[in-house]
Amino acid sequence: MGNVEAVTAPDWVSLDQLFTRVLHSEDDALRAAREAADTAGMPAIEVSAQHAKLLSLLVKMSGSRRVLEIGTLAGYSTIALARAVGSGGAVVSLEYEPAHAEVARRSLERAEVADRVEIVVGAALDSLPGLQQRGDVFDFVFIDADKENNVAYVEWAVTLGHPGTVIVVDNIARNGRVVDPQPGDEQAHAIRAMFDMIGSHPRLEAAAIQTVGAKGWDGFAVALVS
Ligand code: SAH
Ligand code: DHB
Ligand code: MG
């Protein structure tokens, strides 16, 4: 405990940067995806380089070949997922904003994974029934869009999954706001409701991991469908 006081917020960022440098976590294509988002005036809310790498490793460790992502933004996490499924795999990524999808498509081309990624533009809850109708089944689902719909997204992930499907949900701490959601904080309420739902779901077991790093205090949950 003696060194705790020496650890301040900027050090989380520095240590994240060190990990990224030493572990070679971010190559030119990922960097370009981040910069393209910035140039296009999009918010810098993509996953960190370390989080992207962990997503990639989870996809590989689970042997997942068919990945669903909800929330593309500029395609940063999409590139990590698409690389992990390999050339025979496929990623479907759902994005509400056409302009985000356009920037993402160019970044996916630059990363040479565009051939294995389908971006579906529209509100995810409108797109998901179409995926079910055409018979899509997913081994891995990354939920990272409007937090207000997280309960529905987790339900859809189970519906479109199978025993063994891995679900990762981003942004489960939001600087701690989820502990005691304030009136009007719909995001925090929705994340809290999602945990109640996962906790009582007969086919889900999960862990929620808080993180500090380049993105401040947040975290992600990992769930396994049985
Ligand atoms: N996964 C990305 C970040 C996603 S940010 C990454 O880590 O690189 C969240 C994205 O979800 C934004 O692009 C936003 O436009 C999109 N979004 C918000 N509401 C949505 C909805 N209802 N359906 C689909 N996408 C939505
Ligand atoms: C926000 C959304 C995210 O997906 C994220 O990782 C960080 C922030 C946001 O909407 O503020
Ligand atoms: Mg996120």
Short mmCIF file of all heavy atoms in Angstrom, two decimals, residues 45 47 142 144 147 170-171, ligand 3:
data_model
loop_
_atom_site.label_atom_id
_atom_site.label_comp_id
_atom_site.label_asym_id
_atom_site.label_seq_id
_atom_site.Cartn_x
_atom_site.Cartn_y
_atom_site.Cartn_z
N ILE A 45 -13.52 7.48 -28.54
CA ILE A 45 -14.05 6.53 -27.56
C ILE A 45 -13.83 5.09 -27.99
O ILE A 45 -14.49 4.17 -27.49
CB ILE A 45 -15.56 6.79 -27.27
CG1 ILE A 45 -16.37 6.78 -28.57
CG2 ILE A 45 -15.75 8.11 -26.54
CD1 ILE A 45 -17.88 6.87 -28.36
N VAL A 47 -11.86 1.50 -28.17
CA VAL A 47 -11.15 0.77 -27.11
C VAL A 47 -9.67 1.13 -27.14
O VAL A 47 -9.13 1.53 -28.18
CB VAL A 47 -11.32 -0.77 -27.25
CG1 VAL A 47 -12.76 -1.19 -27.00
CG2 VAL A 47 -10.82 -1.26 -28.61
N PHE A 142 -19.30 -8.66 -29.36
CA PHE A 142 -18.74 -7.51 -28.65
C PHE A 142 -19.77 -6.39 -28.65
O PHE A 142 -20.13 -5.88 -29.71
CB PHE A 142 -17.43 -7.05 -29.31
CG PHE A 142 -16.83 -5.83 -28.66
CD1 PHE A 142 -16.68 -5.75 -27.27
CD2 PHE A 142 -16.37 -4.77 -29.43
CE1 PHE A 142 -16.13 -4.63 -26.67
CE2 PHE A 142 -15.81 -3.64 -28.83
CZ PHE A 142 -15.69 -3.57 -27.45
N ASP A 144 -20.80 -2.68 -27.74
CA ASP A 144 -20.10 -1.42 -27.47
C ASP A 144 -20.82 -0.26 -28.18
O ASP A 144 -20.19 0.51 -28.90
CB ASP A 144 -18.64 -1.53 -27.93
CG ASP A 144 -17.79 -0.36 -27.48
OD1 ASP A 144 -18.18 0.32 -26.52
OD2 ASP A 144 -16.73 -0.14 -28.09
N LYS A 147 -25.44 2.40 -24.53
CA LYS A 147 -25.51 1.56 -23.32
C LYS A 147 -26.96 1.35 -22.87
O LYS A 147 -27.27 0.36 -22.19
CB LYS A 147 -24.70 2.20 -22.18
CG LYS A 147 -23.33 2.76 -22.60
CD LYS A 147 -22.49 1.77 -23.36
CE LYS A 147 -21.27 2.43 -24.00
NZ LYS A 147 -20.62 1.59 -25.02
N ASP A 170 -18.46 -3.67 -23.29
CA ASP A 170 -17.56 -2.58 -22.92
C ASP A 170 -18.27 -1.59 -21.99
O ASP A 170 -19.49 -1.52 -21.96
CB ASP A 170 -17.07 -1.86 -24.18
CG ASP A 170 -15.88 -0.94 -23.91
OD1 ASP A 170 -15.14 -1.20 -22.94
OD2 ASP A 170 -15.68 0.02 -24.66
N ASN A 171 -17.48 -0.86 -21.25
CA ASN A 171 -17.95 0.32 -20.49
C ASN A 171 -18.90 -0.04 -19.36
O ASN A 171 -20.05 0.44 -19.32
CB ASN A 171 -18.61 1.33 -21.45
CG ASN A 171 -17.75 1.67 -22.64
OD1 ASN A 171 -18.09 1.37 -23.76
ND2 ASN A 171 -16.60 2.25 -22.38
MG MG B 3 -16.82 1.43 -25.55
#
